[in-house]
Amino acid sequence: MTKKPNFLFIITDQHRADHLGCYGNTVVKTPNIDGIAEKGRQWDKFYVANPICMPNRASIMTGRMSSLHGARHNGIPLSHDHTTFVELLKDAGYRTGLIGKSHLQSFTGLPASNTYQPDPTLHTPRKELRDAYKHDRHSEDYDLEVVPKWDRPLAERMGGDFYGFEHVEIAADHADAASGDYLLWAREQDPDFDSLVGEKNALPDDRINAPQAWRTAVPEELYSTSWIADRSQDWLKERADDDAPFFLQMSFPDPHHPFTPPGKYWDMYDPADMPLPASFGKSDLPPVKAMREAMENGTDPRDNQSPFSVTEDEARQILALTYGSITMIDDAIGRVLAQLEESGLADNTIVIFTSDHGDYMGDHGLMLKLLLHFQGTIRVPFIWYDPSQRGGGEAVSDLASSIDISATILARAGVQAFNGIQGRDLLKDPEPEAILVEEDSQRTMTGFERPQRIRTVVTDRYRMSLREGEDWHELYDLQADPHELDNRYADPDFSDVRHELTEIMLRRMISLQDRAPLPAYRA
């Protein structure tokens, strides 16, 4: 009987596709990730199901859109009522591990911005009847990643497995603010570790003066990226003498903001060498203009999770720091790949690389994510290397989505998927006519008067985004306008295209409506 393949699933956070050498970037150094692509395949039109951390990570885990699994935005955990592909792998005899960022549950512990408001003129239902779901994910079972409560390892608190992962070591949050199991470990290594983290403890550096950027005092060996690689290496060493196949998810919290690459990675790249995106400062969309004006008049704090506008110098500085974080991740991946070889596991381990969403990174003069579905935020890398397949270096032009990851892994593992999975096997199933991207924000941000609900359809040539409650929408010809500068939604010459895309979007939304649960009886 042929041994089932192992899987090393590598995922970064807020990492756009074109911030890798194999995707055409000539500045950032990513030789190890590029090496995976050279031996395997990379998808050039790979899109997220939702351009926000928790929703898209939940979509990866379930192979379902966020409108179905319900984790529509950060702050809404993935319900234990939803089946994950990792549970199916574990059920089929796989050893399953998660080392690094999870973010399937909330970690801030902050009060929700969108809550049930009792109407004093009406009878208020009791608490368990105030939501369409009686199991509303507000119990202690969904507080396992809340940082203020993280007094001991998650593995000691989870009771069984964690969404199918039998082994978990978590790094919550991002950059030098990373916490969770990682922070417990770091404090054991250095009892004064808390005096090294954060902007208030940063090392001086007059070169950098950009929002959410500081030179961390945390040394490279104690930084979360190094910890994740070290712990992954140790876990893989244990697999060398284990006959069971394994699935390891190695999840890096970087290159997500704040921008704090440690040690040599801080000044590895010179801001002066950073080319600005072709779209920098050119967009005339209402929210982009509003964010630019807020920057110029000093009314936008630019110190939180909301997108913001930047100057040219700030953009170059942030790009340089982001590239430093990416190269540190690449070096860490190199060590783990070497461990696969040393442990004799490489020949039977499929290596996968992706990210949970992208980042504007200077596109149209903006930073971070949310609200606008430019290519930088919704298009991410996806690389698949199977050592049992000959050849390599193939660039796949088919449209693909993060909901496809689970179906592809299950098919290759020889495990039948559950009813209701929406993704396709990227290696065998036909390409869809379009990809759908969903986003439902929970708060109002600069340039908008209300929280946004957005649905985007992407085809081989076009990207169209429709918004609830707004009098403007977007349509771009990606072939003629790859930088998305010329919004053709209201252009009479594009009326036929708009109508066709609207019908395609409707068909795609119908195809993605739920087919679970199965009926109990035949009609």
Side-chain angles (χ1 to χ4, degrees):
M1 181 176 177
T2 304
K3 180 175 171 61
K4 288 182 177 293
N6 305 313
F7 294 91
L8 173 61
F9 178 51
I10 307 167
I11 181 170
T12 53
D13 196 315
Q14 203 157 298
H15 187 172
R16 49 190 283 160
D18 59 4
H19 279 187
L20 290 171
C22 55
Y23 278 87
N25 193 301
T26 60
V27 179
V28 67
K29 300 178 180 67
T30 54
N32 293 296
I33 300 171
D34 297 347
I36 302 170
E38 288 171 5
K39 295 184 294 184
R41 310 180 192 182
Q42 69 179 56
W43 273 253
D44 290 338
K45 296 177 182 176
F46 195 91
Y47 291 92
V48 296
N50 191 305
I52 306 173
C53 297
M54 285 181 70
N56 200 54
R57 287 172 180 265
S59 286
I60 291 172
M61 289 290 289
T62 62
R64 288 159 61 84
M65 299 296 290
S66 54
S67 54
L68 269 63
H69 60 62
R72 303 181 315 279
H73 196 273
N74 287 351
I76 306 175
L78 176 61
S79 171
H80 292 298
D81 289 337
H82 289 270
T83 305
T84 73
F85 81 93
V86 181
E87 289 177 302
L88 268 64
L89 290 175
K90 182 172 178 287
D91 181 68
Y94 272 77
R95 302 294 302 273
T96 56
L98 168 59
I99 297 176
K101 184 180 178 184
S102 161
H103 213 182
L104 297 174
Q105 297 184 3
S106 301
F107 54 68
T108 67
L110 298 173
S113 57
N114 186 6
T115 60
Y116 186 90
Q117 299 295 328
D119 185 335
T121 68
L122 300 172
H123 171 74
T124 301
R126 65 180 187 269
K127 185 176 180 180
E128 60 267 28
L129 299 179
R130 296 181 185 181
D131 202 313
Y133 294 92
K134 289 188 175 67
H135 299 118
D136 59 8
R137 318 176 196 193
H138 293 175
S139 65
E140 291 184 358
D141 290 345
Y142 296 103
D143 284 348
L144 293 175
E145 293 192 55
V146 172
V147 170
K149 300 182 179 182
W150 214 307
D151 57 346
R152 56 197 176 102
L154 176 57
E156 297 178 9
R157 296 180 284 118
M158 64 185 188
D161 63 33
F162 186 69
Y163 296 100
F165 292 107
E166 60 184 359
H167 178 94
V168 292
E169 297 180 71
I170 304 298
D173 219 318
H174 308 100
D176 88 339
S179 54
D181 294 333
Y182 154 72
L183 183 57
L184 298 180
W185 169 86
R187 287 169 173 165
E188 289 179 355
Q189 311 311 305
D190 183 348
D192 295 324
F193 182 78
D194 288 355
S195 67
L196 303 176
V197 303
E199 190 171 11
K200 67 181 184 300
N201 296 316
L203 301 174
D205 191 330
D206 295 335
R207 295 181 316 114
I208 301 297
N209 185 28
Q212 304 190 43
W214 58 84
R215 186 164 195 164
T216 182
V218 177
E220 293 173 28
E221 63 272 16
L222 294 184
Y223 197 75
S224 62
T225 299
S226 297
W227 176 77
I228 291 165
D230 293 343
R231 297 305 302 135
S232 296
Q233 287 178 272
D234 288 345
W235 194 82
L236 290 171
K237 288 178 185 176
E238 296 174 4
R239 305 282 76 74
D241 298 322
D242 191 342
D243 291 334
F246 67 80
F247 175 87
L248 174 62
Q249 180 169 318
M250 183 170 65
S251 181
F252 295 98
D254 280 2
H256 192 290
H257 63 104
F259 312 103
T260 66
K264 65 177 178 289
Y265 299 102
W266 170 262
D267 50 11
M268 177 172 284
Y269 295 92
D270 187 342
D273 296 334
M274 299 296 110
L276 291 175
S279 63
F280 192 93
K282 295 179 180 178
S283 176
D284 61 355
L285 290 180
V288 179
K289 291 194 293 185
M291 281 185 261
R292 187 160 55 237
E293 292 169 0
M295 175 194 67
E296 292 169 351
N297 60 33
T299 58
D300 195 338
R302 305 195 298 169
D303 62 355
N304 53 42
Q305 300 293 327
S306 299
F308 56 85
S309 187
V310 288
T311 66
E312 291 188 3
D313 285 345
E314 289 170 340
R316 289 191 172 95
Q317 292 172 20
I318 289 174
L319 279 164
L321 298 177
T322 297
Y323 285 1
S325 292
I326 292 171
T327 296
M328 185 178 191
I329 291 169
D330 188 81
D331 287 345
I333 290 171
R335 297 198 300 274
V336 174
L337 294 178
Q339 185 63 58
L340 280 177
E341 294 283 355
E342 183 180 329
S343 300
L345 299 168
D347 289 344
N348 194 43
T349 299
I350 294 169
V351 181
I352 307 163
F353 180 89
T354 193
S355 184
D356 60 354
H357 55 78
D359 190 306
Y360 298 122
M361 273 292 132
D363 284 352
H364 306 273
L366 304 179
M367 283 294 163
L368 311 190
K369 58 183 183 295
L370 303 176
L371 309 177
L372 295 164
H373 291 180
F374 293 124
Q375 294 293 293
T377 62
I378 65 173
R379 177 175 170 259
V380 294
F382 184 76
I383 302 169
W384 175 283
Y385 167 54
D386 185 339
S388 71
Q389 297 176 348
R390 294 182 179 180
E394 178 186 357
V396 181
S397 61
D398 290 359
L399 290 166
S401 168
S402 48
I403 62 172
D404 300 330
I405 295 173
S406 56
T408 307
I409 291 173
L410 289 173
R412 184 62 183 85
V415 178
Q416 184 175 354
F418 52 82
N419 172 62
I421 198 168
Q422 295 182 310
R424 68 183 179 96
D425 179 356
L426 291 170
L427 306 178
K428 294 182 179 179
D429 292 341
E431 175 189 17
E433 65 176 336
I435 295 296
L436 190 69
V437 181
E438 303 175 335
E439 182 177 356
D440 295 85
S441 67
Q442 301 297 301
R443 63 185 187 274
T444 303
M445 303 181 199
T446 303
F448 295 93
E449 296 180 353
R450 62 185 66 81
Q452 294 290 290
R453 302 195 77 182
I454 312 158
R455 296 296 181 267
T456 286
V457 63
V458 182
T459 68
D460 278 330
R461 180 167 179 175
Y462 298 102
R463 190 266 287 186
M464 184 177 74
S465 299
L466 305 182
R467 297 171 180 275
E468 179 189 45
E470 301 292 345
D471 60 2
W472 61 276
H473 307 282
E474 296 170 86
L475 193 165
Y476 300 97
D477 182 344
L478 299 176
Q479 181 176 303
D481 179 25
H483 302 297
E484 299 171 294
L485 294 169
D486 192 3
N487 182 10
R488 310 304 290 269
Y489 187 85
D491 187 338
D493 292 340
F494 272 67
S495 60
D496 289 344
V497 173
R498 187 176 74 245
H499 294 153
E500 179 183 358
L501 289 173
T502 302
E503 185 172 319
I504 290 174
M505 176 184 278
L506 180 58
R507 285 200 299 267
R508 186 61 179 160
M509 292 178 75
I510 292 172
S511 72
L512 290 171
Q513 289 184 321
D514 213 344
R515 291 186 177 273
L518 288 167
Y521 303 101
R522 187 171 68 182

